[in-house]
Amino acid sequence: MCGIAGIVGRNPENEVVLAKMLQKQKHRGPDAQGVWFEEECFLGHNRLSILDLSEAANQPMVSNCGRYVVVFNGEIYNYIELKQSLDYSFRTTSDTEVLLAMFIKYKDKMLQHLNGMFSFAIWDRVEKKLFAARDRFGVKPFYFSFADHQFLFASEIKTLVAAGVDAASNDVVWADYFVHGSYGYPDETFFKHVEQLPPGHCLSYSDGDLRPQIYKYYDFVAQVAGQQVFENSERLQEEYLELLLDALRIRFRSDVPVGFNVSGGLDSSILLAMIANIKHGETQNIEAFTFYTGDERYDELPWVKDLIAQTNSPLNPVLLTSSEIPELLEKVSYFQDEPFGGFPTLAYSKIFEKARKEGFLVLLDGQGMDEAWAGYDYYRSNSSALVQGIKSPLTRPQVLSQDLRSLAREVNYPEPFDNKLQNKQFRDLYYTKIPRALRFNDRVSMMHSTELREPFLDYRLVEMAFAQKSEMKIKGDEGKWLPRQLVKNTLESIALAPKRPLQTPQREWIGGPLSGFVEDRVSKLKSNPWFERNALSNQWQEYKDGQNDNSFFVWQWINASFIED
């Protein structure tokens, strides 16, 4: 897990610019920093050492033949299996070198063989061409831009801005955010001159090209269509369990300690049960991390303690208090670059800080189960909601200026399947829930130089689950039906419990102990031409007066006030 950066172009200042880029994202890789360059290509890397801790595994890494140079962020979990099929003289035990050898053998076709989270770039010194790719679901980021007739890429937006990329806002994406609560399409960012490589896509670029050639290498819809649809639930459980255990086994490959995040819900229960399975109950060195706020209406700590009590994994509870919010907001906003999730994201940042302090540089969590197995309440209704459990309008477009509001698009997502359930799941997987959660979590983990792995997002698991009939996912008012069966006998109280959104007292804190702080942040926006001063004041007053079924729109204002600072 690292940071990558690069420039394809011939500016004599590029070596200096690259150094600035690496300095800006040094939190992503504190263990080593490397550069490689020739006349028209400059590559840089910030290393967080996870596999093969030796200096030989540092990057940029040059192939044995000297033709190819790679910078790589992420993990190739099946690198050991891939390595066995390669005729290559390996100098390291890293997955980076396996990735490089795979490219030499298969070129872009090697992407079909990779099981991992990754963004990488490989420079071909003979053809003078850059090849780059991002993993199937976009766990790892890849941003790019053009400045001074050069192609630049990096793991974070701030890195590109440090290289001189214009930081002007993408007003259309901001308008969509304030009107619809969306975060842009897969190739967009909140910055006008910064794009991102969509999940499951790759690109090639040569010096002098007007644009990179971008194409999709992973056809999720086609892969789902090729999956077996099980009629027998017991057989499906057996097949899914076998894959799930393998997904976990390969995600425990690490030369540093591995821990996991835990809540009191089903996903964490399954994760914990499967970890105990593959480790044969020997989990005393695999520590668990969770957060709590001291508010029993929201805290899952009692469930977490009950869950952990069934194992010998030590538990590290992390307390989030309202008094910490202002300082945490300022810190996390810097690392996020773009609007992000509310107070739970702040709490999550404290978990990674604690993990790093305790020496756990890799954490696993349960992201992806809800989307694959239809866990949210709106999957069981005709609702077009994007957020679980909210009855009032998510946003307040009436506080926006007419100019900004008029830029908002009709946000329509593709519907490639023949039924509403799978189309909602597809929307959440590629356009709403998963993309934003992955971005939030990448930034809060990397700000503390820690790695996050999501075993439930193993593409084999997602494809299998996604393809199944609705009755395997939903029965009555119960989502994630089949995964519940995996732990029903051993963890019955949790397996049968309704889905609880991971929450903090954000709504209450905003209108209570933090109301003065929020007032100050909202006041900052009153001089912003995007907002109507009086409408903003009125909506804030209505919130304080009790019209607070949801706090997302107030969070948008708070978040925007920091991003715009």
Side-chain angles (χ1 to χ4, degrees):
M1 186 68 67
C2 309
I4 62 174
I7 307 169
V8 179
R10 298 172 182 268
N11 191 319
E13 298 297 317
N14 280 345
E15 187 178 355
V16 174
V17 173
L18 184 63
K20 290 180 181 178
M21 295 171 76
L22 295 176
Q23 178 65 21
K24 186 58 72 170
Q25 61 181 33
K26 64 180 180 180
H27 51 278
R28 297 189 70 93
D31 298 325
Q33 181 172 300
V35 298
W36 178 95
F37 58 90
E38 57 186 14
E39 185 179 4
E40 62 279 274
C41 182
F42 296 73
L43 300 177
H45 189 263
N46 308 90
R47 186 180 183 200
L48 174 62
S49 302
I50 302 296
L51 291 172
D52 188 340
L53 310 185
S54 72
E55 289 186 8
N58 287 349
Q59 300 178 44
M61 183 179 288
V62 182
S63 64
N64 288 343
C65 63
R67 175 173 175 175
Y68 303 101
V69 189
V70 65
V71 284
F72 163 48
N73 170 29
E75 303 290 350
I76 308 301
Y77 300 122
N78 63 334
Y79 75 103
I80 292 176
E81 291 77 9
L82 295 176
K83 189 174 185 177
Q84 293 169 355
S85 68
L86 294 168
D87 181 17
Y88 186 89
S89 180
F90 289 94
R91 296 164 290 158
T92 75
T93 57
S94 70
D95 56 340
T96 305
E97 195 171 17
V98 172
L99 178 69
L100 194 53
M102 285 290 291
F103 183 76
I104 292 171
K105 182 174 182 178
Y106 296 108
K107 296 299 186 288
D108 61 333
K109 297 297 187 293
M110 62 99 161
L111 294 166
Q112 308 299 335
H113 299 275
L114 305 181
N115 186 339
M117 53 177 184
F118 53 83
S119 65
F120 65 83
I122 296 176
W123 177 249
D124 183 335
R125 300 180 67 191
V126 174
E127 293 191 5
K128 305 296 183 182
K129 180 179 290 188
L130 187 80
F131 176 80
R134 193 176 179 201
D135 63 73
R136 292 170 177 84
F137 299 126
V139 180
K140 293 290 97 188
F142 189 97
Y143 296 105
F144 66 91
S145 186
F146 292 87
D148 297 327
H149 307 290
Q150 300 192 112
F151 178 78
L152 300 93
F153 68 87
S155 294
E156 296 191 8
I157 293 172
K158 67 173 65 65
T159 310
L160 295 175
V161 174
V165 172
D166 187 345
S169 63
N170 187 332
D171 291 357
V172 172
V173 174
W174 276 102
D176 288 345
Y177 172 66
F178 286 122
V179 172
H180 304 296
S182 63
Y183 291 76
Y185 287 99
D187 60 340
E188 296 178 324
T189 74
F190 283 77
F191 292 77
K192 185 177 181 180
H193 301 287
V194 177
E195 301 174 59
Q196 59 177 328
L197 184 62
H201 283 66
C202 52
L203 67 77
S204 62
Y205 180 83
S206 298
D207 184 26
D209 289 352
L210 295 178
R211 291 278 305 169
Q213 291 182 313
I214 297 176
Y215 55 98
K216 182 166 69 173
Y217 71 84
Y218 178 56
D219 189 338
F220 176 74
V221 176
Q223 292 301 314
V224 169
Q227 291 291 312
Q228 180 178 355
V229 179
F230 289 84
E231 301 294 337
N232 183 293
S233 65
E234 291 184 2
R235 177 77 189 285
L236 175 56
Q237 286 181 56
E238 291 172 2
E239 296 287 334
Y240 184 76
L241 179 59
E242 182 180 345
L243 275 186
L244 178 55
L245 291 174
D246 186 62
L248 267 171
R249 284 190 195 100
I250 62 178
R251 280 164 179 78
F252 263 96
R253 291 172 173 173
S254 171
D255 292 329
V256 297
V258 178
F260 63 98
N261 297 330
V262 61
S263 65
L266 176 66
D267 304 348
S268 292
S269 308
I270 294 175
L271 183 62
L272 182 60
M274 297 305 113
I275 290 173
N277 183 312
I278 65 173
K279 295 297 181 181
H280 308 291
E282 298 297 319
T283 59
Q284 62 271 16
N285 295 322
I286 306 171
E287 299 194 11
F289 297 82
T290 192
F291 77 80
Y292 69 104
T293 64
D295 190 321
E296 61 184 16
R297 293 170 297 177
Y298 296 99
D299 281 347
E300 297 190 335
L301 193 56
W303 286 277
V304 171
K305 287 181 175 178
D306 287 347
L307 188 61
I308 292 296
Q310 302 182 47
T311 75
N312 53 8
S313 287
L315 177 64
N316 297 272
V318 178
L319 176 64
L320 176 72
T321 64
S322 61
S323 61
E324 298 174 278
I325 296 296
E327 183 179 357
L328 269 175
L329 250 170
E330 187 167 1
K331 287 181 180 177
V332 173
S333 294
Y334 169 78
F335 286 98
Q336 289 283 332
D337 287 330
E338 301 177 283
F340 59 95
F343 292 4
T345 303
L346 304 181
Y348 221 34
S349 74
K350 293 196 68 177
I351 284 179
F352 290 107
E353 182 180 34
K354 175 69 171 176
R356 179 79 191 187
K357 193 174 296 183
E358 297 298 321
F360 286 84
L361 274 61
V362 176
L363 293 183
L364 309 180
D365 83 354
Q367 189 73 54
M369 182 72 81
D370 284 301
E371 293 75 14
W373 286 106
Y376 298 117
D377 58 7
Y378 55 73
Y379 288 138
R380 304 189 293 277
S381 69
N382 290 320
S383 169
S384 59
L386 298 174
V387 179
Q388 171 159 302
I390 289 179
K391 297 179 176 62
S392 65
L394 185 64
T395 63
R396 296 294 186 272
Q398 58 266 44
V399 307
L400 303 176
S401 69
Q402 184 56 42
D403 287 345
L404 185 66
R405 203 186 321 175
S406 67
L407 295 177
R409 299 167 291 192
E410 284 294 324
V411 179
N412 295 312
Y413 302 115
E415 296 185 343
F417 295 94
D418 62 4
N419 61 89
K420 290 183 178 179
L421 177 59
Q422 284 185 314
N423 283 327
K424 283 183 182 179
Q425 291 180 274
F426 183 75
R427 175 200 68 188
D428 284 359
L429 183 63
Y430 272 106
Y431 292 90
T432 56
K433 291 279 189 182
I434 290 298
R436 69 190 188 213
L438 292 178
R439 172 167 66 81
F440 305 161
N441 294 344
D442 173 79
R443 303 309 184 275
V444 292
S445 60
M446 295 309 298
M447 73 180 281
H448 296 296
S449 305
T450 54
E451 175 172 299
L452 178 63
R453 298 179 178 181
E454 289 103 347
F456 296 150
L457 279 176
D458 187 301
Y459 72 94
R460 300 169 299 170
L461 294 175
V462 178
E463 291 172 4
M464 176 184 283
F466 204 97
Q468 304 311 312
K469 294 179 178 179
S470 61
E471 52 263 37
M472 295 293 187
K473 304 171 186 176
I474 299 171
K475 284 195 186 296
D477 196 40
E478 184 177 272
K480 289 190 292 194
W481 179 80
L482 188 129
R484 291 179 191 276
Q485 310 316 303
L486 297 179
V487 293
K488 187 173 181 179
N489 294 330
T490 54
L491 301 168
E492 185 172 357
S493 63
I494 293 168
L496 299 179
K499 166 71 179 171
R500 297 187 303 271
L502 183 62
Q503 291 183 338
T504 62
Q506 175 174 300
R507 185 177 58 178
E508 292 81 3
W509 285 358
I510 282 176
L514 291 173
S515 61
F517 163 73
V518 175
E519 186 93 45
D520 290 342
R521 303 311 304 185
V522 172
S523 294
K524 279 181 168 288
L525 297 179
K526 290 180 179 178
S527 60
N528 188 313
W530 282 356
F531 294 91
E532 292 289 350
R533 181 187 184 96
N534 292 336
L536 193 63
S537 296
N538 291 340
Q539 287 296 313
W540 170 231
Q541 188 60 50
E542 287 182 8
Y543 183 90
K544 290 189 293 183
D545 290 344
Q547 295 185 30
N548 58 2
D549 171 64
N550 95 79
S551 59
F552 177 75
F553 60 95
V554 182
W555 165 253
Q556 287 183 307
W557 307 337
I558 300 168
N559 204 184
S561 75
F562 277 95
I563 300 292
E564 290 296 297
D565 270 358

